[in-house]
Amino acid sequence: MKRTAVVLFAGDARREEAQKGLPPRFLATLHERIVRTIRSFDVDLLIADSLVGDAPLAQKIDRAFAIPFARGYERVIVLAGDIVMPRVILQRAIESSETLIGSTKDGGFYILATSELPQIDWTSLAFEDVARQLDCKTLATLRDVDSIDDARLVAPELLPTLTQQSSNSATQQPTQRTTQLRAPPSQIA
């Protein structure tokens, strides 16, 4: 089997949760799930921040390919950490020798898998701009998690019950039951 590296872009979960308005531990739990999925394959998992250091995102992505290829990997897969990764998509990216890219609903990309160092101008990270520079096939479009609404759509089971209840009550239409005045409970002496 070819030597494959999966480079996971899973930054500081607490900072990203605060920026995106997500509840605590949401992204950390999502990252844990992705790591488990990656580790279920015979590949090496590399964490982007540890591998490439502090740099602008475009430079990080460029280095995320350059460093593993320089270390002798035959296939490198760069993967976003803010998605729910279907095992079948990751399996295809690992087993294929083709260059594969998957778009996000908001126009970015969540995965790029290649068997050679891509020569890409990273000034735009939009899916269309990156894909246009490659001889590649596309994978399914997924929704990345950039907001609480995205989180509710892709991984509602990871949201704390309190968050789900408060959002439901905020959108609930008033009914006689929710608007009826009630007497206070009697006090037991």
Side-chain angles (χ1 to χ4, degrees), residues 6 8 34-41 43 45 79 90:
V6 177
L8 179 61
I34 293 170
V35 166
R36 278 195 307 273
T37 301
I38 294 167
R39 288 194 171 141
S40 71
F41 293 98
V43 298
L45 169 62
L79 183 63
L90 185 56

Side-chain angles (χ1 to χ4, degrees), residues 8-85:
L8 179 61
F9 275 77
D12 181 337
R14 281 185 277 175
R15 186 187 74 237
E16 285 187 47
E17 288 161 351
Q19 289 171 343
K20 295 177 178 188
L22 299 169
R25 297 266 325 131
F26 179 85
L27 284 176
T29 304
L30 195 58
H31 295 165
E32 291 165 6
R33 278 186 173 184
I34 293 170
V35 166
R36 278 195 307 273
T37 301
I38 294 167
R39 288 194 171 141
S40 71
F41 293 98
D42 185 21
V43 298
D44 291 340
L45 169 62
L46 307 173
I47 304 299
D49 284 352
S50 299
L51 180 68
V52 300
D54 193 29
L57 183 56
Q59 248 183 349
K60 282 184 175 185
I61 295 171
D62 195 47
R63 290 178 188 167
F65 284 108
I67 293 170
F69 278 121
R71 291 182 180 174
Y73 286 97
E74 299 167 71
R75 185 142 180 95
V76 177
I77 300 165
V78 166
L79 183 63
D82 62 349
I83 57 157
V84 174
M85 173 50 68

Side-chain angles (χ1 to χ4, degrees), residues 52 59 80 101 104 106 109 117 124 163:
V52 300
Q59 248 183 349
I101 188 170
T104 58
D106 63 2
F109 67 95
L117 183 62
S124 169
T163 302

Side-chain angles (χ1 to χ4, degrees), residues 89-103:
I89 291 175
L90 185 56
Q91 182 173 4
R92 180 168 176 212
I94 291 167
E95 293 175 354
S96 179
S97 59
E98 299 173 303
T99 298
L100 302 170
I101 188 170
S103 65

